[in-house]
Amino acid sequence: YGYTGTYKGVPVSVMASGMGMPSIGIYSYELYKFYGVENIIRIGSAGSYVPRLYVHDVVLAEKAYSESTFALYQNREQSNILLPSPHINETILSKANELGIECKMATVHSSDVFYSEPVMGGWEGIRDRTHSDCVEMESFALFHNANVLGKNAACLLTISDSFVTKCELNAEDRQNSFNTMMRLALETAIAL
């Protein structure tokens, strides 16, 4: 579902992107290519790979690492690291500062797999191999589509669980406690 309403009198559209790169890849490509969307800020949850990212922290992706073949099969992009749009990230950081919201920069691991077997070295092996601070499943594809189509994208996350401390939010907390991230995304959207 997608909804367009207003935030502080400014029209803003919000929609679900599904889970994983194929899903956000379809939605973002169509929004950029066929519906004239210029800016997409993905918001969502992430799992922390490092001690400095705690549950409830708001995180801004400074780059996305992935082993996915999404970009390779979309247009032969061979890089495993893709960047968000500097202008949106700068606006997010400026708004965070203005609102007194701590927003931590991080390298995000965009994984194709939610559950991986120990043969891959566990989460520590993935963290060490990818040099990532946290894990989610969408930003790499979003950044790729934005780069290919000359559009803008960013990824704001809230840490919902920590592989380091084993602390995790339950479903109700995930539903009700991501307001800081959402407020920051909305304030950024109307500033763009």
Side-chain angles (χ1 to χ4, degrees), residues 1-6 11-16:
Y1 294 108
Y3 301 92
T4 298
T6 59
V12 176
S13 295
V14 178
M15 69 180 296

Side-chain angles (χ1 to χ4, degrees), residues 3-15 37-43 60 87-96 98-99 101 152-156 180-192:
Y3 301 92
T4 298
T6 59
Y7 180 74
K8 296 186 175 179
V10 179
V12 176
S13 295
V14 178
M15 69 180 296
V37 170
E38 293 294 322
N39 304 305
I40 295 177
I41 302 171
R42 169 182 141 52
I43 62 171
L60 177 60
H87 174 65
I88 297 184
N89 270 20
E90 290 164 9
T91 306
I92 289 170
L93 291 173
S94 175
K95 282 293 169 187
E98 182 182 312
L99 298 167
I101 296 171
N152 302 299
C155 179
L156 262 177
T180 302
M181 170 187 63
M182 288 185 264
R183 180 174 173 227
L184 181 54
L186 287 167
E187 291 289 341
T188 301
I190 65 172
L192 292 172

Side-chain angles (χ1 to χ4, degrees), residues 111-128:
S111 180
D112 275 338
V113 178
F114 194 80
Y115 300 106
S116 60
E117 294 300 314
V119 69
M120 296 304 294
W123 67 268
E124 295 101 334
I126 296 169
R127 176 202 59 209
D128 296 345

Side-chain angles (χ1 to χ4, degrees), residues 13-94:
S13 295
V14 178
M15 69 180 296
S17 64
M19 285 184 71
M21 285 184 259
S23 184
I24 198 170
I26 294 168
Y27 284 119
S28 62
Y29 190 90
E30 291 181 355
L31 287 168
Y32 287 141
K33 182 87 172 181
F34 307 120
Y35 292 93
V37 170
E38 293 294 322
N39 304 305
I40 295 177
I41 302 171
R42 169 182 141 52
I43 62 171
S45 61
S48 173
Y49 284 158
V50 295
R52 73 176 181 88
L53 298 180
Y54 305 101
V55 169
H56 290 292
D57 279 353
V58 175
V59 173
L60 177 60
E62 61 183 334
K63 56 186 161 184
Y65 177 96
S66 187
E67 309 92 337
S68 172
T69 57
F70 180 92
L72 179 66
Y73 285 114
Q74 202 278 341
N75 80 329
R76 297 183 186 246
E77 171 64 56
Q78 295 190 24
S79 178
N80 287 342
I81 297 173
L82 294 176
L83 303 176
S85 303
H87 174 65
I88 297 184
N89 270 20
E90 290 164 9
T91 306
I92 289 170
L93 291 173
S94 175

Side-chain angles (χ1 to χ4, degrees), residues 109-183:
H109 173 216
S110 287
S111 180
D112 275 338
V113 178
F114 194 80
Y115 300 106
S116 60
E117 294 300 314
V119 69
M120 296 304 294
W123 67 268
E124 295 101 334
I126 296 169
R127 176 202 59 209
D128 296 345
R129 187 173 61 256
T130 66
H131 306 287
S132 298
D133 302 306
C134 59
V135 60
E136 53 83 69
M137 300 181 77
E138 289 84 21
S139 61
F140 184 83
L142 174 62
F143 296 170
H144 177 72
N145 282 345
N147 292 336
V148 165
L149 296 171
K151 305 292 185 164
N152 302 299
C155 179
L156 262 177
L157 303 163
T158 297
I159 299 298
S160 60
D161 56 285
S162 170
F163 290 90
V164 179
T165 67
K166 308 300 183 215
C167 182
E168 61 183 51
L169 300 176
N170 62 35
E172 185 177 348
D173 287 336
R174 289 175 192 236
Q175 178 179 312
N176 299 322
S177 67
F178 288 4
N179 295 335
T180 302
M181 170 187 63
M182 288 185 264
R183 180 174 173 227

